């Protein structure tokens, strides 16, 4: 845990509307469409849920628009746990977006 | 109880021997091995590449396994899932369940596979003999297979 981490945490705690820094990871064809496997982004405080984050990403560029164009197809996990689009992202360190899984 | 995610092949017989060694409480062992099929939608398959989400995979497999052990009262279990480039005939996944009586072991193995297919963060990409590549689509039947087990963990 670095000094930067604790600074970010106390800033977030000081204001409910503060933005947050979050690592976003992409897998399979979502990764291919976005064009990267991972990025760390600063999201504004108005982005409250996983669904809000998708909307916010889509507005950033055509690669995100292409990855998220089929509504409801892309799945998400917050800190390594499956979640729905309504899940709040506050406090999460990592969000992941991926197609429905095809293991086994 | 154990889960392992690895690039290397596994030896199902050796895994079972290790699981039952020194135990006399186990009356049933069910082993499921999933293999790479040589055809995809009627076309010859060259390779199958499995991508996964390393930090989430083991956590999710452990959650699924703990649920199976609790639900069916298994005496033990093992899940081994491979990633990387595989070829027709290669083993992909191994599920072993141990119990005093056979029903729990059979049901536990089926439950583990149904959950694993719908929840574990793996994605398959097929490379066909004609040079094309495509990500495998999730089958609707996998979701249906999950629903028959009911219970809280079927929620997405």
């Amino acid at each position: 845990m670095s000094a930067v981490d604790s600074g970010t945490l106390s800033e977030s705690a000081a204001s409910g509307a503060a933005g947050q820094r979050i690592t976003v990871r992409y897998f399979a064809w979502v990764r291919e469409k976005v064009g990267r496997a991972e990025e760390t982004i600063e999201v504004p405080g108005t982005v409250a849920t996983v669904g809000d984050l998708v909307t916010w990403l889509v507005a950033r560029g055509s690669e995100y628009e292409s990855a998220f164009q089929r509504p409801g197809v892309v799945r998400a996990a917050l800190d390594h746990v499956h979640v729905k689009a309504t899940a709040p992202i506050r406090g999460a360190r990592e969000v992941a977006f991926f197609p429905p899984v095809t293991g086994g | 109880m154990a889960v392992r995610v690895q690039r290397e092949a596994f030896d199902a017989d050796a895994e079972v021997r290790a699981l039952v060694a020194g135990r006399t409480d186990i009356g049933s062992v069910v082993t499921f091995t999933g293999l790479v099929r040589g055809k995809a939608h009627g076309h010859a398959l060259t390779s199958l590449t499995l991508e996964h989400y390393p930090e989430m995979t083991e956590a999710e497999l452990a959650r699924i396994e703990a649920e199976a052990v609790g639900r069916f009262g298994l005496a033990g279990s093992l899940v081994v899932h491979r990633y990387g480039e595989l070829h027709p005939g290669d083993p992909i996944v191994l599920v072993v369940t141990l119990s005093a009586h056979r029903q729990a072991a059979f049901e536990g193995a089926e439950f583990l596979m149904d959950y694993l297919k719908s929840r574990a963060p793996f994605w398959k990409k097929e490379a066909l003999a004609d040079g094309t590549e495509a990500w495998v689509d999730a089958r609707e039947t996998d979701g249906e297979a999950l629903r028959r087990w009911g219970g809280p963990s079927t929620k997405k």
Side-chain angles (χ1 to χ4, degrees):
Chain A
M1 188 67 64
S2 71
V4 175
D5 283 335
S6 31
T8 308
L9 282 174
S10 33
E11 275 168 36
S12 302
S15 164
Q20 66 176 318
R21 177 184 285 256
I22 194 164
T23 299
V24 190
R25 297 178 69 178
Y26 309 98
F27 293 92
W29 56 253
V30 177
R31 169 178 54 74
E32 291 178 346
K33 284 172 187 278
V34 170
R36 60 186 72 91
E38 178 178 339
E39 60 188 327
T40 300
I41 55 174
E42 295 280 352
V43 292
T46 50
V47 174
T49 66
V50 169
D52 294 343
L53 179 58
V54 171
T55 306
W56 186 79
L57 285 170
V58 165
R60 288 179 96 201
S62 57
E63 69 271 38
Y64 298 100
E65 204 178 342
S66 157
F68 292 102
Q69 66 181 336
R70 288 193 284 166
V73 171
V74 175
R75 307 297 165 90
L78 272 183
D79 292 333
H80 314 141
V81 177
H82 289 288
V83 293
K84 294 181 179 180
T86 51
I89 61 167
R90 173 149 296 277
R93 289 169 174 273
E94 184 170 301
V95 59
F97 292 108
F98 44 77
V101 303
T102 54
Chain B
M1 285 187 281
V3 299
R4 261 185 7 240
V5 182
Q6 62 187 43
R7 194 178 278 279
E8 312 77 51
F10 50 79
D11 178 344
D13 291 339
E15 299 290 355
V16 170
R17 276 198 303 277
L19 285 167
V20 300
R23 294 187 68 166
T24 54
D25 58 324
I26 293 160
S28 305
V29 179
V30 167
T31 305
F32 173 85
T33 305
L35 306 176
V36 179
R37 276 185 296 272
K39 281 196 171 178
H41 331 289
H43 301 282
L45 183 121
T46 314
S47 68
L48 186 69
T49 302
L50 280 109
E51 177 173 334
H52 77 123
Y53 182 0
E55 298 83 351
M56 180 172 173
T57 311
E58 295 208 12
E60 188 64 26
L61 287 176
R63 285 192 280 270
I64 294 167
E65 191 189 42
E67 171 132 1
V69 168
R71 190 182 276 234
F72 301 99
L74 299 176
S77 61
L78 172 69
V79 176
V80 182
H81 205 303
R82 296 178 71 190
Y83 64 91
E85 186 178 316
L86 305 178
H87 299 94
D90 284 350
I92 305 179
V93 60
L94 173 69
V95 162
V96 183
T97 52
L98 314 177
S99 62
H101 302 283
R102 71 181 183 283
Q103 192 179 359
F106 275 130
E107 290 186 348
E110 209 169 3
F111 174 93
L112 275 168
M113 278 308 302
D114 284 348
Y115 265 77
L116 193 153
K117 288 191 92 77
S118 302
R119 311 277 300 178
F122 287 93
W123 301 274
K124 292 184 180 124
K125 192 178 210 178
E126 294 168 341
L128 302 180
D130 64 9
T132 58
E133 282 191 347
W135 291 99
V136 174
D137 264 335
R139 293 165 57 215
E140 194 52 42
T141 48
D142 289 339
E144 286 164 17
L146 253 201
R147 282 191 277 279
R148 77 192 157 113
W149 298 105
S153 295
T154 57
K155 279 191 269 175
K156 272 261 167 172

